């Protein structure tokens, strides 16, 4: 079979066997195709501390959350299908948290993720390559490093796994309980030293606290692998860009959650077509000011033969982050996967960022994010 092989600036037809750098092609002639930049394919991994992960992950906030995402246990079969589809197409980073799930369903996201992992019918090497990143909430009763380690073990039990890929502190307590902060940091160190996690990360840390915890962990011989913040074309204010610069300088991988702005960057909603519940109230405030950005997203999507969400997610990838869009249906996951395998040009990136600046409305930042 003839193959389309990537080189530094062109594609060359050859008859070599298929490998991870080649694509099927029917012609036997040599052709040249200009490239806008190095493409990302799901099986091409990026470094995240000691781990290698897909350039886009999968967020599971909606798995178990009834209040914001309308979860019902009848959805579980569909959720398993979304998990299987993502894994079969090269996605190996799954983000969850011990607090995900409403009321009695607290921890449901971890339980479902563990169940789907155990029941995955694909090749064992594919399953073994999956990196689970979970977040531990700094609840007021978690006052010691030992209690944080206990929380980690509880997550391991819920997911029925022996080791977590990335153990993350869900948010900082510096704003309201600074004395608790060091105990939580010591908890990260302890779970790392005990081998309960392969790497550690943080979530919702602002620039100042991010530098502080990196310095502290480094003094204890523990590398900070990742920093997870709300990062999208709706969330590129001064603090978010400073966090990105710090991550780049300290070799920390930025994980961008809510890359689609809770759905506002999908282009699917209008003031006459709002989602139910709390999201609808938020959308009603922000959507009217997003037209410059949504217009640019539509233009680029049409020109590229892509969808608006695919362009928005690809922007996050082009900025060097690992976005973790969620998905409750196979259709959503298929669409998210379409964000991979191509890259926005530098002109398109500038167009989107200019449109974002021209849009008067911005996403409300997480109240837990510290300075």
């Amino acid at each position: 079979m003839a193959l389309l092989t990537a080189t530094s600036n062109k594609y060359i037809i050859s008859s070599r066997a298929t490998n991870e750098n080649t694509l099927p092609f029917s012609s036997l002639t040599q052709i040249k195709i200009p490239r806008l930049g190095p493409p990302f394919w799901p099986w091409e991994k990026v470094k995240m501390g000691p781990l290698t992960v897909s350039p886009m992950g999968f967020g599971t906030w909606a798995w178990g959350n009834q209040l914001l995402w309308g979860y019902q246990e009848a959805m579980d079969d569909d959720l398993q299908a979304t998990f299987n589809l993502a894994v079969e197409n090269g996605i190996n980073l799954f983000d969850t948290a011990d607090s995900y799930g409403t009321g009695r369903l607290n921890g449901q996201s971890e339980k479902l993720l563990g169940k789907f992992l155990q029941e995955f019918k694909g090749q064992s090497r594919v399953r073994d390559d999956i990196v689970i990143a979970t977040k531990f909430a700094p609840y007021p009763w978690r006052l010691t490093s030992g209690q944080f380690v206990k929380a980690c073990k509880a997550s391991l039990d819920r997911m029925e796994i022996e080791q977590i890929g990335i153990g993350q502190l869900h948010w900082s307590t510096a704003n309201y309980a600074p004395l608790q902060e060091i105990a939580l940091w010591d908890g990260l160190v302890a779970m790392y030293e005990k081998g309960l996690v392969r790497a550690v990360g943080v979530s919702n840390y602002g620039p100042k606290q991010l530098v502080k915890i990196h310095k502290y962990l480094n003094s204890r011989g523990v590398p900070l692998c990742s920093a997870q913040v709300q990062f999208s074309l709706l969330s590129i204010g001064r603090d978010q860009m400073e966090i990105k610069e710090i991550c780049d300088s300290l070799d920390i991988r930025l994980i961008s959650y809510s890359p689609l702005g809770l759905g506002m960057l999908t282009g699917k909603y209008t003031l006459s077509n709002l989602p139910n519940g709390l999201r609808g109230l938020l959308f009603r405030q922000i959507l009217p000011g997003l037209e410059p950005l949504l217009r640019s997203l539509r233009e680029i999507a049409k020109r590229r033969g892509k969808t608006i969400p695919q362009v928005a997610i690809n922007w996050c990838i082009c900025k060097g982050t690992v976005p973790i869009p969620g998905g409750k249906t196979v259709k959503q996951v298929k669409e998210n996967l379409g964000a991979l395998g191509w890259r926005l040009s530098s002109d398109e990136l500038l167009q989107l960022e200019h449109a974002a600046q021209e849009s008067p409305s911005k996403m409300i930042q997480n109240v837990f994010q510290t300075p």
Side-chain angles (χ1 to χ4, degrees), residues 250-271:
L250 297 178
D251 198 24
I252 302 167
R253 180 66 68 173
L254 192 147
I255 299 174
S256 47
Y257 73 76
S258 293
L260 297 176
L262 298 180
M264 276 182 277
L265 294 183
T266 63
K268 299 173 183 176
Y269 297 102
T270 64
L271 288 180

Side-chain angles (χ1 to χ4, degrees), residues 275-323:
N276 296 325
L278 294 176
R279 281 202 304 151
L281 296 175
L282 181 64
F283 281 32
R284 187 178 297 278
Q285 297 176 43
I286 297 178
L287 273 178
L290 291 188
E291 186 49 38
L293 176 55
L294 290 173
R295 184 168 56 247
S296 286
L297 285 166
R298 287 190 202 99
E299 291 173 1
I300 293 173
K302 183 177 181 180
R303 185 165 65 242
R304 286 301 199 106
K306 298 293 180 179
T307 66
I308 291 175
Q310 289 166 355
V311 174
I313 294 171
N314 192 273
W315 177 86
C316 293
I317 294 172
C318 289
K319 301 304 286 187
T321 78
V322 176

Side-chain angles (χ1 to χ4, degrees), residues 88-109:
E88 289 162 358
N89 283 276
I91 303 301
N92 79 325
L93 176 65
F94 288 82
D95 180 80
T96 184
D98 65 359
S99 62
Y100 284 175
T102 308
R104 68 177 181 82
L105 295 173
N106 194 54
Q108 181 76 350
S109 175

Side-chain angles (χ1 to χ4, degrees), residues 53-123:
V53 301
S54 46
M56 179 182 75
F58 192 121
T60 64
W61 182 17
W63 297 7
N65 187 297
Q66 295 174 316
L67 184 63
L68 196 65
W69 298 106
Y71 166 80
Q72 300 295 327
E73 290 176 76
M75 297 176 177
D76 289 356
D77 288 344
D78 289 336
L79 295 179
Q80 184 157 22
T82 67
F83 173 85
N84 291 342
L85 179 65
V87 174
E88 289 162 358
N89 283 276
I91 303 301
N92 79 325
L93 176 65
F94 288 82
D95 180 80
T96 184
D98 65 359
S99 62
Y100 284 175
T102 308
R104 68 177 181 82
L105 295 173
N106 194 54
Q108 181 76 350
S109 175
E110 287 187 334
K111 291 177 183 176
L112 288 175
L113 188 52
K115 177 177 180 290
F116 300 161
L117 183 63
Q118 300 301 325
E119 296 179 0
F120 180 68
K121 303 298 183 183
Q123 297 179 6

Side-chain angles (χ1 to χ4, degrees), residues 32-333:
K32 294 183 179 181
I33 303 175
R35 289 194 19 192
L36 297 173
F40 279 108
W41 302 94
W43 52 86
E44 286 186 354
K45 303 296 191 290
V46 298
K47 292 295 292 180
M48 188 174 287
L51 308 168
T52 53
V53 301
S54 46
M56 179 182 75
F58 192 121
T60 64
W61 182 17
W63 297 7
N65 187 297
Q66 295 174 316
L67 184 63
L68 196 65
W69 298 106
Y71 166 80
Q72 300 295 327
E73 290 176 76
M75 297 176 177
D76 289 356
D77 288 344
D78 289 336
L79 295 179
Q80 184 157 22
T82 67
F83 173 85
N84 291 342
L85 179 65
V87 174
E88 289 162 358
N89 283 276
I91 303 301
N92 79 325
L93 176 65
F94 288 82
D95 180 80
T96 184
D98 65 359
S99 62
Y100 284 175
T102 308
R104 68 177 181 82
L105 295 173
N106 194 54
Q108 181 76 350
S109 175
E110 287 187 334
K111 291 177 183 176
L112 288 175
L113 188 52
K115 177 177 180 290
F116 300 161
L117 183 63
Q118 300 301 325
E119 296 179 0
F120 180 68
K121 303 298 183 183
Q123 297 179 6
S124 58
R125 65 176 180 80
V126 174
R127 184 180 63 245
D128 294 342
D129 191 43
I130 291 173
V131 174
I132 293 179
T134 196
K135 299 182 288 294
F136 309 109
Y139 293 129
W141 55 87
R142 291 177 177 170
L143 296 173
T144 67
S145 61
Q147 288 168 325
F148 218 49
V149 169
K150 185 178 179 180
C152 180
K153 291 179 178 178
S155 289
L156 288 167
D157 289 342
R158 276 191 292 272
M159 292 186 283
E160 300 181 73
I161 57 177
E162 296 181 358
Q163 189 181 47
I164 290 165
I166 308 173
Q168 305 165 97
L169 181 56
H170 204 155
W171 64 85
S172 168
T173 63
N175 286 344
Y176 61 91
L179 295 180
Q180 186 184 7
E181 186 89 341
I182 295 298
L184 299 175
W185 294 1
D186 286 342
L188 286 178
V189 172
M191 64 180 69
Y192 178 80
E193 291 179 342
K194 292 177 182 293
L196 302 177
V197 301
R198 291 185 62 191
V200 302
V202 293
S203 178
N204 296 310
Y205 266 61
K208 293 180 180 178
Q209 284 301 107
L210 181 59
V211 171
K212 287 180 181 178
I213 189 172
H214 175 271
K215 182 178 180 180
Y216 182 82
L217 292 176
N218 188 57
S219 72
R220 300 290 302 275
V222 179
L224 182 59
C225 161
S226 61
Q228 184 177 150
V229 295
Q230 186 171 257
F231 190 90
S232 73
L233 282 162
L234 278 179
S235 302
I236 49 173
R238 181 184 301 173
D239 280 355
Q240 304 309 89
M241 298 312 296
E242 186 177 354
I243 292 168
K244 178 63 173 62
E245 292 172 1
I246 291 169
C247 285
D248 291 345
S249 67
L250 297 178
D251 198 24
I252 302 167
R253 180 66 68 173
L254 192 147
I255 299 174
S256 47
Y257 73 76
S258 293
L260 297 176
L262 298 180
M264 276 182 277
L265 294 183
T266 63
K268 299 173 183 176
Y269 297 102
T270 64
L271 288 180
S272 59
N273 176 34
L274 296 170
N276 296 325
L278 294 176
R279 281 202 304 151
L281 296 175
L282 181 64
F283 281 32
R284 187 178 297 278
Q285 297 176 43
I286 297 178
L287 273 178
L290 291 188
E291 186 49 38
L293 176 55
L294 290 173
R295 184 168 56 247
S296 286
L297 285 166
R298 287 190 202 99
E299 291 173 1
I300 293 173
K302 183 177 181 180
R303 185 165 65 242
R304 286 301 199 106
K306 298 293 180 179
T307 66
I308 291 175
Q310 289 166 355
V311 174
I313 294 171
N314 192 273
W315 177 86
C316 293
I317 294 172
C318 289
K319 301 304 286 187
T321 78
V322 176
I324 49 171
K328 295 190 295 182
T329 68
V330 166
K331 181 181 179 181
Q332 288 174 330
V333 175

